[in-house]
Amino acid sequence: MLFTKRASAVLAASLLTLTCQVALAADSLNFVSWGGSTQDAQKQAWAEPFSDASKVRVVQDGPTDYGKLKAMVESGNVQWDVVDVEADFALRAAAEGLLEPLDFNTIKRDRIDPRFVSDHGVGSFFFSFVLGYNEGKLGANKPLDWSALFDTSTYPGKRALYKWPSPGVLELALLADGVAADKLYPLDLDRAFKKLDTIKKDIVWWGGGAQSQQLLASGEVSMGQFWNGRVYALQQDGAPVGVSWKQNLVMADFLVVPKGAKNKEAAMKFLAEASSAKGQAEFANLTAYAPVNLDSIGLLKPELASNLPTAYAQDQVTLDFAYWAKNGPTIATRWNEWLVK
């Protein structure tokens, strides 16, 4: 790969920082994430280089469990050191006193996209919910935006939607109903649920990435809401699937350190490596999820450009993590009641 001068300098600086790390007091660090190909990539891009440089063994654990994290902190028996969580949970957990403040003398906050860093969390990666569709089911009739999900006459077939009460589904329903992107918040819940009612019988709910891929690739659904990296993986495998990036909805995962973590110093250095230009680029190159570090772009594989949210900023809607952090529990109650109606 050819690098620009700036990219080469960033890479050299990152490598120098990594190789010059002094040995830490801890001999191991517990890292918790969601499992599957995402955690495999985090291990390859972050954990293994960090262990090689620091001699701290990174123990993989998971899947992420918010209730377990809270119980650990409240009991004072914290077994996890770094946890990958959704952005809105990171903000809510910080407000509840469940997280350690981050050490920004170690972590380079000024090189992180401001959307994806807070006092208690730094971006793991960001991604977009995109409109994916099965080309075999729809043929040449390609959907353009979220409104296609609600047009079952023009685009017949089942719809795949994320089943958890978190940012994404309500927003896409409102966008499809004509709400302007800059007028989404506070969410008009009545309007969003009314819109979803129009296709409720046609929805197939998915709870994880592998399930979403199976639904789309098999043709069980003709289209739906998907993580962009999962659609990219299907395309790489030759599945007959397409994607529309119009109104792509940006969501992020954050890396956090639970309050009372036993290996806090090592955790901060791990976060510095994970959020570095090199660490973020390596992870992006493995997954097609976007890097949160502003200096990572020049280190990405050129062929990835059209498959990353960074290429579609003009059609992008960044979901309001702070709104969800504050209102998520109330929305979840209504969401769960609506699902069983």
Side-chain angles (χ1 to χ4, degrees):
M1 181 188 299
L2 295 177
F3 297 113
T4 63
K5 290 182 179 179
R6 182 180 181 188
S8 298
V10 168
L11 177 58
S14 180
L15 288 171
L16 181 62
T17 298
L18 185 60
T19 55
C20 290
Q21 285 180 329
V22 297
L24 298 171
D27 59 7
S28 67
L29 174 112
N30 198 296
F31 174 69
V32 181
S33 190
W34 302 95
S37 58
T38 296
Q39 191 160 354
D40 289 343
Q42 291 170 325
K43 178 181 178 181
Q44 182 177 335
W46 308 337
E48 291 174 352
F50 174 79
S51 292
D52 289 343
S54 67
K55 308 308 177 187
V56 174
R57 182 170 60 96
V58 179
V59 179
Q60 302 291 321
D61 200 353
T64 296
D65 183 316
Y66 297 155
K68 190 173 181 180
L69 186 154
K70 184 174 182 178
M72 282 184 182
V73 174
E74 291 178 344
S75 70
N77 184 25
V78 180
Q79 301 300 313
W80 295 346
D81 297 304
V82 177
V83 187
D84 188 304
V85 303
E86 292 164 299
D88 56 313
F89 176 81
L91 297 179
R92 186 161 59 251
E96 294 175 2
L98 301 177
L99 305 178
E100 294 283 354
L102 299 190
D103 177 6
F104 289 110
N105 291 318
T106 302
I107 302 160
K108 304 305 181 187
R109 183 172 190 161
D110 63 330
R111 302 317 304 151
I112 307 299
D113 185 321
R115 294 178 295 173
F116 309 122
V117 63
S118 70
D119 289 348
H120 296 80
V122 64
S124 176
F125 58 92
F126 78 95
F127 60 92
S128 286
F129 283 118
V130 293
L131 178 62
Y133 54 92
N134 186 294
E135 295 174 331
K137 298 287 286 187
L138 297 181
N141 196 16
K142 300 183 186 302
L144 297 178
D145 57 31
W146 297 116
S147 65
L149 280 178
F150 299 87
D151 184 355
T152 54
S153 296
T154 306
Y155 307 100
K158 295 292 186 179
R159 275 63 172 137
L161 291 178
Y162 193 42
K163 74 176 182 180
W164 305 115
S166 61
V169 177
L170 297 175
E171 284 89 344
L172 72 83
L174 290 170
L175 289 169
D177 203 41
V179 176
D182 61 352
K183 302 296 183 184
L184 280 173
Y185 300 99
L187 296 176
D188 185 336
L189 298 179
D190 290 340
R191 185 170 177 177
F193 281 111
K194 183 178 180 180
K195 187 68 173 178
L196 289 169
D197 278 336
T198 65
I199 59 165
K200 191 173 184 181
K201 64 180 176 58
D202 298 307
I203 297 172
V204 180
W205 300 101
W206 60 269
Q211 182 188 11
S212 75
Q213 289 175 301
Q214 190 278 328
L215 290 172
L216 185 60
S218 69
E220 183 175 343
V221 301
S222 62
M223 67 174 70
Q225 166 202 20
F226 301 95
W227 296 328
N228 72 277
R230 294 292 182 159
V231 178
Y232 172 76
L234 288 177
Q235 292 174 325
Q236 294 301 106
D237 289 340
V241 300
V243 60
S244 170
W245 285 89
K246 191 169 181 61
Q247 299 174 327
N248 68 96
L249 303 174
V250 171
M251 183 58 179
D253 273 21
F254 277 29
L255 299 173
V256 300
V257 178
K259 190 76 172 179
K262 295 179 174 63
N263 301 302
K264 185 169 71 170
E265 180 187 359
M268 297 301 168
K269 291 191 177 293
F270 179 85
L271 293 187
E273 166 60 19
S275 61
S276 70
K278 180 178 180 292
Q280 282 289 298
E282 291 288 347
F283 179 79
N285 284 333
L286 292 169
T287 62
Y289 290 125
V292 302
N293 192 297
L294 299 172
D295 297 321
S296 296
I297 300 301
L299 306 178
L300 299 177
K301 295 177 180 177
E303 61 269 26
L304 272 182
S306 64
N307 297 287
L308 290 174
T310 48
Y312 303 95
Q314 72 278 8
D315 285 325
Q316 204 163 84
V317 180
T318 300
L319 300 169
D320 191 332
F321 314 140
Y323 172 86
W324 276 90
K326 180 179 180 181
N327 298 285
T330 300
I331 295 174
T333 298
R334 180 164 179 179
W335 175 270
N336 292 325
E337 291 173 350
W338 176 80
L339 279 182
V340 299
K341 284 183 180 177

mmCIF file of all heavy atoms in Angstrom, residues 192-233:
data_model
loop_
_atom_site.group_PDB
_atom_site.id
_atom_site.type_symbol
_atom_site.label_atom_id
_atom_site.label_comp_id
_atom_site.label_asym_id
_atom_site.label_seq_id
_atom_site.Cartn_x
_atom_site.Cartn_y
_atom_site.Cartn_z
ATOM 1 N N ALA A 192 -43.598 7.818 15.143
ATOM 2 C CA ALA A 192 -42.701 6.723 14.758
ATOM 3 C C ALA A 192 -43.394 5.371 14.886
ATOM 4 O O ALA A 192 -43.324 4.536 13.967
ATOM 5 C CB ALA A 192 -41.448 6.758 15.626
ATOM 6 N N PHE A 193 -44.077 5.141 15.991
ATOM 7 C CA PHE A 193 -44.744 3.851 16.172
ATOM 8 C C PHE A 193 -45.920 3.702 15.199
ATOM 9 O O PHE A 193 -46.190 2.593 14.721
ATOM 10 C CB PHE A 193 -45.211 3.689 17.618
ATOM 11 C CG PHE A 193 -44.107 3.282 18.556
ATOM 12 C CD1 PHE A 193 -43.627 4.166 19.513
ATOM 13 C CD2 PHE A 193 -43.533 2.026 18.481
ATOM 14 C CE1 PHE A 193 -42.605 3.801 20.380
ATOM 15 C CE2 PHE A 193 -42.499 1.643 19.344
ATOM 16 C CZ PHE A 193 -42.031 2.538 20.293
ATOM 17 N N LYS A 194 -46.588 4.786 14.913
ATOM 18 C CA LYS A 194 -47.680 4.730 13.932
ATOM 19 C C LYS A 194 -47.145 4.315 12.562
ATOM 20 O O LYS A 194 -47.773 3.518 11.843
ATOM 21 C CB LYS A 194 -48.377 6.086 13.842
ATOM 22 C CG LYS A 194 -49.577 6.104 12.905
ATOM 23 C CD LYS A 194 -50.254 7.472 12.913
ATOM 24 C CE LYS A 194 -51.452 7.503 11.972
ATOM 25 N NZ LYS A 194 -52.119 8.838 11.973
ATOM 26 N N LYS A 195 -45.985 4.834 12.195
ATOM 27 C CA LYS A 195 -45.367 4.460 10.915
ATOM 28 C C LYS A 195 -44.966 2.989 10.920
ATOM 29 O O LYS A 195 -45.200 2.259 9.947
ATOM 30 C CB LYS A 195 -44.152 5.348 10.658
ATOM 31 C CG LYS A 195 -43.517 5.163 9.281
ATOM 32 C CD LYS A 195 -44.430 5.656 8.168
ATOM 33 C CE LYS A 195 -43.737 5.633 6.818
ATOM 34 N NZ LYS A 195 -44.642 6.064 5.725
ATOM 35 N N LEU A 196 -44.369 2.540 12.008
ATOM 36 C CA LEU A 196 -43.962 1.141 12.104
ATOM 37 C C LEU A 196 -45.162 0.199 12.091
ATOM 38 O O LEU A 196 -45.060 -0.933 11.588
ATOM 39 C CB LEU A 196 -43.129 0.923 13.368
ATOM 40 C CG LEU A 196 -41.725 1.529 13.352
ATOM 41 C CD1 LEU A 196 -41.112 1.484 14.750
ATOM 42 C CD2 LEU A 196 -40.829 0.806 12.347
ATOM 43 N N ASP A 197 -46.290 0.663 12.613
ATOM 44 C CA ASP A 197 -47.507 -0.158 12.585
ATOM 45 C C ASP A 197 -47.887 -0.562 11.168
ATOM 46 O O ASP A 197 -48.464 -1.636 10.950
ATOM 47 C CB ASP A 197 -48.681 0.615 13.207
ATOM 48 C CG ASP A 197 -48.690 0.554 14.725
ATOM 49 O OD1 ASP A 197 -48.122 -0.412 15.284
ATOM 50 O OD2 ASP A 197 -49.256 1.472 15.346
ATOM 51 N N THR A 198 -47.561 0.276 10.186
ATOM 52 C CA THR A 198 -47.986 0.015 8.806
ATOM 53 C C THR A 198 -47.290 -1.200 8.202
ATOM 54 O O THR A 198 -47.775 -1.766 7.213
ATOM 55 C CB THR A 198 -47.747 1.243 7.898
ATOM 56 O OG1 THR A 198 -46.335 1.500 7.798
ATOM 57 C CG2 THR A 198 -48.456 2.466 8.449
ATOM 58 N N ILE A 199 -46.140 -1.611 8.774
ATOM 59 C CA ILE A 199 -45.446 -2.798 8.240
ATOM 60 C C ILE A 199 -45.172 -3.840 9.326
ATOM 61 O O ILE A 199 -44.400 -4.779 9.098
ATOM 62 C CB ILE A 199 -44.113 -2.417 7.566
ATOM 63 C CG1 ILE A 199 -43.174 -1.704 8.548
ATOM 64 C CG2 ILE A 199 -44.339 -1.586 6.314
ATOM 65 C CD1 ILE A 199 -41.724 -1.609 8.077
ATOM 66 N N LYS A 200 -45.797 -3.705 10.478
ATOM 67 C CA LYS A 200 -45.454 -4.569 11.610
ATOM 68 C C LYS A 200 -45.572 -6.051 11.263
ATOM 69 O O LYS A 200 -44.722 -6.864 11.634
ATOM 70 C CB LYS A 200 -46.340 -4.231 12.805
ATOM 71 C CG LYS A 200 -45.884 -4.892 14.113
ATOM 72 C CD LYS A 200 -46.690 -4.385 15.292
ATOM 73 C CE LYS A 200 -46.177 -4.973 16.593
ATOM 74 N NZ LYS A 200 -46.957 -4.503 17.767
ATOM 75 N N LYS A 201 -46.591 -6.409 10.502
ATOM 76 C CA LYS A 201 -46.785 -7.820 10.141
ATOM 77 C C LYS A 201 -45.733 -8.320 9.161
ATOM 78 O O LYS A 201 -45.563 -9.538 8.975
ATOM 79 C CB LYS A 201 -48.179 -8.019 9.546
ATOM 80 C CG LYS A 201 -48.418 -7.272 8.247
ATOM 81 C CD LYS A 201 -49.825 -7.508 7.714
ATOM 82 C CE LYS A 201 -50.111 -6.697 6.454
ATOM 83 N NZ LYS A 201 -49.181 -6.978 5.361
ATOM 84 N N ASP A 202 -45.016 -7.410 8.531
ATOM 85 C CA ASP A 202 -43.995 -7.787 7.550
ATOM 86 C C ASP A 202 -42.576 -7.765 8.116
ATOM 87 O O ASP A 202 -41.616 -8.044 7.395
ATOM 88 C CB ASP A 202 -44.044 -6.835 6.345
ATOM 89 C CG ASP A 202 -45.375 -6.890 5.611
ATOM 90 O OD1 ASP A 202 -45.786 -7.999 5.245
ATOM 91 O OD2 ASP A 202 -45.992 -5.820 5.434
ATOM 92 N N ILE A 203 -42.432 -7.433 9.397
ATOM 93 C CA ILE A 203 -41.105 -7.286 9.989
ATOM 94 C C ILE A 203 -40.592 -8.625 10.516
ATOM 95 O O ILE A 203 -41.300 -9.359 11.201
ATOM 96 C CB ILE A 203 -41.127 -6.262 11.137
ATOM 97 C CG1 ILE A 203 -41.498 -4.866 10.625
ATOM 98 C CG2 ILE A 203 -39.760 -6.207 11.827
ATOM 99 C CD1 ILE A 203 -41.724 -3.842 11.724
ATOM 100 N N VAL A 204 -39.337 -8.923 10.184
ATOM 101 C CA VAL A 204 -38.594 -10.018 10.808
ATOM 102 C C VAL A 204 -37.486 -9.364 11.639
ATOM 103 O O VAL A 204 -36.638 -8.653 11.104
ATOM 104 C CB VAL A 204 -37.986 -10.968 9.758
ATOM 105 C CG1 VAL A 204 -37.227 -12.090 10.454
ATOM 106 C CG2 VAL A 204 -39.063 -11.531 8.842
ATOM 107 N N TRP A 205 -37.512 -9.596 12.931
ATOM 108 C CA TRP A 205 -36.572 -8.918 13.831
ATOM 109 C C TRP A 205 -35.266 -9.691 13.942
ATOM 110 O O TRP A 205 -35.264 -10.908 14.030
ATOM 111 C CB TRP A 205 -37.192 -8.771 15.227
ATOM 112 C CG TRP A 205 -38.457 -7.987 15.240
ATOM 113 C CD1 TRP A 205 -39.743 -8.467 15.300
ATOM 114 C CD2 TRP A 205 -38.586 -6.559 15.174
ATOM 115 N NE1 TRP A 205 -40.645 -7.437 15.285
ATOM 116 C CE2 TRP A 205 -39.972 -6.252 15.210
ATOM 117 C CE3 TRP A 205 -37.672 -5.514 15.106
ATOM 118 C CZ2 TRP A 205 -40.464 -4.955 15.166
ATOM 119 C CZ3 TRP A 205 -38.142 -4.215 15.059
ATOM 120 C CH2 TRP A 205 -39.524 -3.945 15.097
ATOM 121 N N TRP A 206 -34.155 -8.959 13.937
ATOM 122 C CA TRP A 206 -32.855 -9.591 14.162
ATOM 123 C C TRP A 206 -32.174 -8.983 15.369
ATOM 124 O O TRP A 206 -32.309 -7.801 15.654
ATOM 125 C CB TRP A 206 -31.957 -9.517 12.920
ATOM 126 C CG TRP A 206 -31.621 -8.136 12.404
ATOM 127 C CD1 TRP A 206 -32.301 -7.416 11.472
ATOM 128 C CD2 TRP A 206 -30.494 -7.324 12.786
ATOM 129 N NE1 TRP A 206 -31.684 -6.211 11.238
ATOM 130 C CE2 TRP A 206 -30.565 -6.125 12.020
ATOM 131 C CE3 TRP A 206 -29.417 -7.489 13.671
ATOM 132 C CZ2 TRP A 206 -29.616 -5.107 12.137
ATOM 133 C CZ3 TRP A 206 -28.475 -6.476 13.793
ATOM 134 C CH2 TRP A 206 -28.593 -5.305 13.019
ATOM 135 N N GLY A 207 -31.440 -9.820 16.084
ATOM 136 C CA GLY A 207 -30.791 -9.350 17.298
ATOM 137 C C GLY A 207 -29.282 -9.340 17.235
ATOM 138 O O GLY A 207 -28.620 -8.792 18.101
ATOM 139 N N GLY A 208 -28.705 -9.934 16.202
ATOM 140 C CA GLY A 208 -27.256 -9.984 16.057
ATOM 141 C C GLY A 208 -26.856 -9.974 14.599
ATOM 142 O O GLY A 208 -27.659 -10.277 13.699
ATOM 143 N N GLY A 209 -25.590 -9.661 14.357
ATOM 144 C CA GLY A 209 -25.113 -9.489 12.993
ATOM 145 C C GLY A 209 -25.220 -10.729 12.136
ATOM 146 O O GLY A 209 -25.618 -10.658 10.966
ATOM 147 N N ALA A 210 -24.860 -11.903 12.676
ATOM 148 C CA ALA A 210 -24.912 -13.130 11.890
ATOM 149 C C ALA A 210 -26.344 -13.438 11.465
ATOM 150 O O ALA A 210 -26.591 -13.875 10.323
ATOM 151 C CB ALA A 210 -24.327 -14.279 12.699
ATOM 152 N N GLN A 211 -27.288 -13.220 12.363
ATOM 153 C CA GLN A 211 -28.694 -13.458 12.029
ATOM 154 C C GLN A 211 -29.152 -12.520 10.924
ATOM 155 O O GLN A 211 -29.860 -12.934 9.998
ATOM 156 C CB GLN A 211 -29.565 -13.271 13.275
ATOM 157 C CG GLN A 211 -31.052 -13.545 13.020
ATOM 158 C CD GLN A 211 -31.920 -13.163 14.210
ATOM 159 O OE1 GLN A 211 -31.465 -12.514 15.157
ATOM 160 N NE2 GLN A 211 -33.182 -13.571 14.168
ATOM 161 N N SER A 212 -28.754 -11.263 11.006
ATOM 162 C CA SER A 212 -29.162 -10.302 9.973
ATOM 163 C C SER A 212 -28.628 -10.712 8.610
ATOM 164 O O SER A 212 -29.325 -10.604 7.592
ATOM 165 C CB SER A 212 -28.666 -8.892 10.337
ATOM 166 O OG SER A 212 -27.278 -8.737 10.115
ATOM 167 N N GLN A 213 -27.405 -11.198 8.568
ATOM 168 C CA GLN A 213 -26.807 -11.626 7.303
ATOM 169 C C GLN A 213 -27.557 -12.817 6.705
ATOM 170 O O GLN A 213 -27.795 -12.874 5.493
ATOM 171 C CB GLN A 213 -25.338 -12.000 7.515
ATOM 172 C CG GLN A 213 -24.437 -10.803 7.783
ATOM 173 C CD GLN A 213 -23.030 -11.240 8.105
ATOM 174 O OE1 GLN A 213 -22.802 -11.977 9.063
ATOM 175 N NE2 GLN A 213 -22.072 -10.787 7.309
ATOM 176 N N GLN A 214 -27.913 -13.745 7.565
ATOM 177 C CA GLN A 214 -28.624 -14.930 7.073
ATOM 178 C C GLN A 214 -29.978 -14.555 6.486
ATOM 179 O O GLN A 214 -30.374 -15.062 5.432
ATOM 180 C CB GLN A 214 -28.785 -15.931 8.233
ATOM 181 C CG GLN A 214 -29.291 -17.295 7.826
ATOM 182 C CD GLN A 214 -30.792 -17.384 7.649
ATOM 183 O OE1 GLN A 214 -31.535 -16.682 8.340
ATOM 184 N NE2 GLN A 214 -31.249 -18.223 6.733
ATOM 185 N N LEU A 215 -30.671 -13.638 7.143
ATOM 186 C CA LEU A 215 -31.976 -13.208 6.653
ATOM 187 C C LEU A 215 -31.869 -12.578 5.270
ATOM 188 O O LEU A 215 -32.694 -12.853 4.383
ATOM 189 C CB LEU A 215 -32.593 -12.193 7.622
ATOM 190 C CG LEU A 215 -33.047 -12.711 8.988
ATOM 191 C CD1 LEU A 215 -33.453 -11.550 9.893
ATOM 192 C CD2 LEU A 215 -34.206 -13.699 8.836
ATOM 193 N N LEU A 216 -30.860 -11.750 5.066
ATOM 194 C CA LEU A 216 -30.722 -11.039 3.805
ATOM 195 C C LEU A 216 -30.193 -11.938 2.697
ATOM 196 O O LEU A 216 -30.726 -11.954 1.583
ATOM 197 C CB LEU A 216 -29.795 -9.833 3.988
ATOM 198 C CG LEU A 216 -29.647 -8.903 2.784
ATOM 199 C CD1 LEU A 216 -30.994 -8.311 2.376
ATOM 200 C CD2 LEU A 216 -28.644 -7.792 3.071
ATOM 201 N N ALA A 217 -29.151 -12.689 2.990
ATOM 202 C CA ALA A 217 -28.530 -13.523 1.960
ATOM 203 C C ALA A 217 -29.463 -14.629 1.479
ATOM 204 O O ALA A 217 -29.466 -14.977 0.293
ATOM 205 C CB ALA A 217 -27.226 -14.116 2.490
ATOM 206 N N SER A 218 -30.264 -15.158 2.388
ATOM 207 C CA SER A 218 -31.170 -16.255 2.030
ATOM 208 C C SER A 218 -32.389 -15.783 1.259
ATOM 209 O O SER A 218 -33.069 -16.581 0.619
ATOM 210 C CB SER A 218 -31.633 -16.978 3.296
ATOM 211 O OG SER A 218 -32.489 -16.138 4.075
ATOM 212 N N GLY A 219 -32.681 -14.497 1.336
ATOM 213 C CA GLY A 219 -33.886 -13.968 0.706
ATOM 214 C C GLY A 219 -35.117 -14.083 1.573
ATOM 215 O O GLY A 219 -36.227 -13.787 1.117
ATOM 216 N N GLU A 220 -34.928 -14.492 2.839
ATOM 217 C CA GLU A 220 -36.083 -14.530 3.744
ATOM 218 C C GLU A 220 -36.683 -13.147 3.889
ATOM 219 O O GLU A 220 -37.889 -12.993 4.073
ATOM 220 C CB GLU A 220 -35.673 -15.078 5.113
ATOM 221 C CG GLU A 220 -36.842 -15.216 6.076
ATOM 222 C CD GLU A 220 -36.455 -15.871 7.385
ATOM 223 O OE1 GLU A 220 -35.387 -16.506 7.457
ATOM 224 O OE2 GLU A 220 -37.240 -15.767 8.347
ATOM 225 N N VAL A 221 -35.832 -12.118 3.801
ATOM 226 C CA VAL A 221 -36.299 -10.736 3.721
ATOM 227 C C VAL A 221 -35.814 -10.153 2.401
ATOM 228 O O VAL A 221 -34.760 -10.536 1.884
ATOM 229 C CB VAL A 221 -35.789 -9.879 4.899
ATOM 230 C CG1 VAL A 221 -36.256 -10.458 6.226
ATOM 231 C CG2 VAL A 221 -34.283 -9.719 4.871
ATOM 232 N N SER A 222 -36.591 -9.248 1.854
ATOM 233 C CA SER A 222 -36.163 -8.612 0.606
ATOM 234 C C SER A 222 -35.284 -7.391 0.870
ATOM 235 O O SER A 222 -34.466 -7.017 0.025
ATOM 236 C CB SER A 222 -37.379 -8.207 -0.229
ATOM 237 O OG SER A 222 -38.178 -7.256 0.469
ATOM 238 N N MET A 223 -35.434 -6.802 2.041
ATOM 239 C CA MET A 223 -34.637 -5.624 2.400
ATOM 240 C C MET A 223 -34.717 -5.384 3.893
ATOM 241 O O MET A 223 -35.494 -6.041 4.601
ATOM 242 C CB MET A 223 -35.129 -4.388 1.655
ATOM 243 C CG MET A 223 -36.521 -3.934 2.070
ATOM 244 S SD MET A 223 -37.012 -2.366 1.314
ATOM 245 C CE MET A 223 -37.230 -2.867 -0.369
ATOM 246 N N GLY A 224 -33.925 -4.420 4.378
ATOM 247 C CA GLY A 224 -33.998 -4.105 5.790
ATOM 248 C C GLY A 224 -32.885 -3.185 6.238
ATOM 249 O O GLY A 224 -32.127 -2.622 5.442
ATOM 250 N N GLN A 225 -32.803 -3.058 7.543
ATOM 251 C CA GLN A 225 -31.833 -2.213 8.241
ATOM 252 C C GLN A 225 -30.679 -3.099 8.695
ATOM 253 O O GLN A 225 -30.886 -4.080 9.414
ATOM 254 C CB GLN A 225 -32.525 -1.573 9.448
ATOM 255 C CG GLN A 225 -31.621 -0.934 10.469
ATOM 256 C CD GLN A 225 -32.288 -0.821 11.832
ATOM 257 O OE1 GLN A 225 -33.254 -1.525 12.124
ATOM 258 N NE2 GLN A 225 -31.771 0.056 12.679
ATOM 259 N N PHE A 226 -29.450 -2.748 8.270
ATOM 260 C CA PHE A 226 -28.300 -3.598 8.577
ATOM 261 C C PHE A 226 -27.085 -2.761 8.956
ATOM 262 O O PHE A 226 -26.956 -1.608 8.546
ATOM 263 C CB PHE A 226 -27.938 -4.472 7.362
ATOM 264 C CG PHE A 226 -29.053 -5.367 6.909
ATOM 265 C CD1 PHE A 226 -29.898 -4.960 5.888
ATOM 266 C CD2 PHE A 226 -29.271 -6.590 7.509
ATOM 267 C CE1 PHE A 226 -30.944 -5.767 5.481
ATOM 268 C CE2 PHE A 226 -30.313 -7.408 7.110
ATOM 269 C CZ PHE A 226 -31.157 -6.999 6.091
ATOM 270 N N TRP A 227 -26.172 -3.376 9.683
ATOM 271 C CA TRP A 227 -24.875 -2.775 9.924
ATOM 272 C C TRP A 227 -24.088 -2.827 8.618
ATOM 273 O O TRP A 227 -24.017 -3.866 7.954
ATOM 274 C CB TRP A 227 -24.124 -3.539 11.010
ATOM 275 C CG TRP A 227 -24.782 -3.485 12.355
ATOM 276 C CD1 TRP A 227 -25.514 -2.461 12.878
ATOM 277 C CD2 TRP A 227 -24.769 -4.514 13.363
ATOM 278 N NE1 TRP A 227 -25.947 -2.773 14.146
ATOM 279 C CE2 TRP A 227 -25.511 -4.032 14.471
ATOM 280 C CE3 TRP A 227 -24.211 -5.784 13.445
ATOM 281 C CZ2 TRP A 227 -25.688 -4.769 15.638
ATOM 282 C CZ3 TRP A 227 -24.387 -6.523 14.604
ATOM 283 C CH2 TRP A 227 -25.118 -6.027 15.683
ATOM 284 N N ASN A 228 -23.479 -1.704 8.251
ATOM 285 C CA ASN A 228 -22.822 -1.654 6.946
ATOM 286 C C ASN A 228 -21.736 -2.719 6.785
ATOM 287 O O ASN A 228 -21.557 -3.286 5.699
ATOM 288 C CB ASN A 228 -22.229 -0.259 6.687
ATOM 289 C CG ASN A 228 -21.013 0.063 7.520
ATOM 290 O OD1 ASN A 228 -21.133 0.481 8.677
ATOM 291 N ND2 ASN A 228 -19.818 -0.113 6.975
ATOM 292 N N GLY A 229 -21.014 -3.026 7.864
ATOM 293 C CA GLY A 229 -19.951 -4.022 7.773
ATOM 294 C C GLY A 229 -20.467 -5.409 7.462
ATOM 295 O O GLY A 229 -19.784 -6.204 6.802
ATOM 296 N N ARG A 230 -21.666 -5.712 7.907
ATOM 297 C CA ARG A 230 -22.244 -7.031 7.648
ATOM 298 C C ARG A 230 -22.671 -7.171 6.188
ATOM 299 O O ARG A 230 -22.542 -8.235 5.590
ATOM 300 C CB ARG A 230 -23.425 -7.275 8.589
ATOM 301 C CG ARG A 230 -23.029 -7.378 10.058
ATOM 302 C CD ARG A 230 -22.222 -8.634 10.343
ATOM 303 N NE ARG A 230 -21.880 -8.743 11.753
ATOM 304 C CZ ARG A 230 -21.548 -9.886 12.357
ATOM 305 N NH1 ARG A 230 -21.493 -11.011 11.664
ATOM 306 N NH2 ARG A 230 -21.233 -9.897 13.642
ATOM 307 N N VAL A 231 -23.186 -6.088 5.609
ATOM 308 C CA VAL A 231 -23.525 -6.123 4.183
ATOM 309 C C VAL A 231 -22.254 -6.251 3.348
ATOM 310 O O VAL A 231 -22.191 -7.024 2.381
ATOM 311 C CB VAL A 231 -24.319 -4.867 3.770
ATOM 312 C CG1 VAL A 231 -24.629 -4.899 2.270
ATOM 313 C CG2 VAL A 231 -25.623 -4.766 4.568
ATOM 314 N N TYR A 232 -21.226 -5.517 3.736
ATOM 315 C CA TYR A 232 -19.940 -5.588 3.039
ATOM 316 C C TYR A 232 -19.400 -7.021 3.055
ATOM 317 O O TYR A 232 -18.926 -7.535 2.026
ATOM 318 C CB TYR A 232 -18.942 -4.648 3.694
ATOM 319 C CG TYR A 232 -17.529 -4.781 3.184
ATOM 320 C CD1 TYR A 232 -17.157 -4.258 1.945
ATOM 321 C CD2 TYR A 232 -16.553 -5.425 3.946
ATOM 322 C CE1 TYR A 232 -15.849 -4.379 1.478
ATOM 323 C CE2 TYR A 232 -15.253 -5.548 3.495
ATOM 324 C CZ TYR A 232 -14.905 -5.022 2.252
ATOM 325 O OH TYR A 232 -13.611 -5.156 1.803
ATOM 326 N N ALA A 233 -19.481 -7.684 4.214
ATOM 327 C CA ALA A 233 -18.986 -9.061 4.319
ATOM 328 C C ALA A 233 -19.751 -9.995 3.392
ATOM 329 O O ALA A 233 -19.156 -10.880 2.761
ATOM 330 C CB ALA A 233 -19.085 -9.540 5.769
#
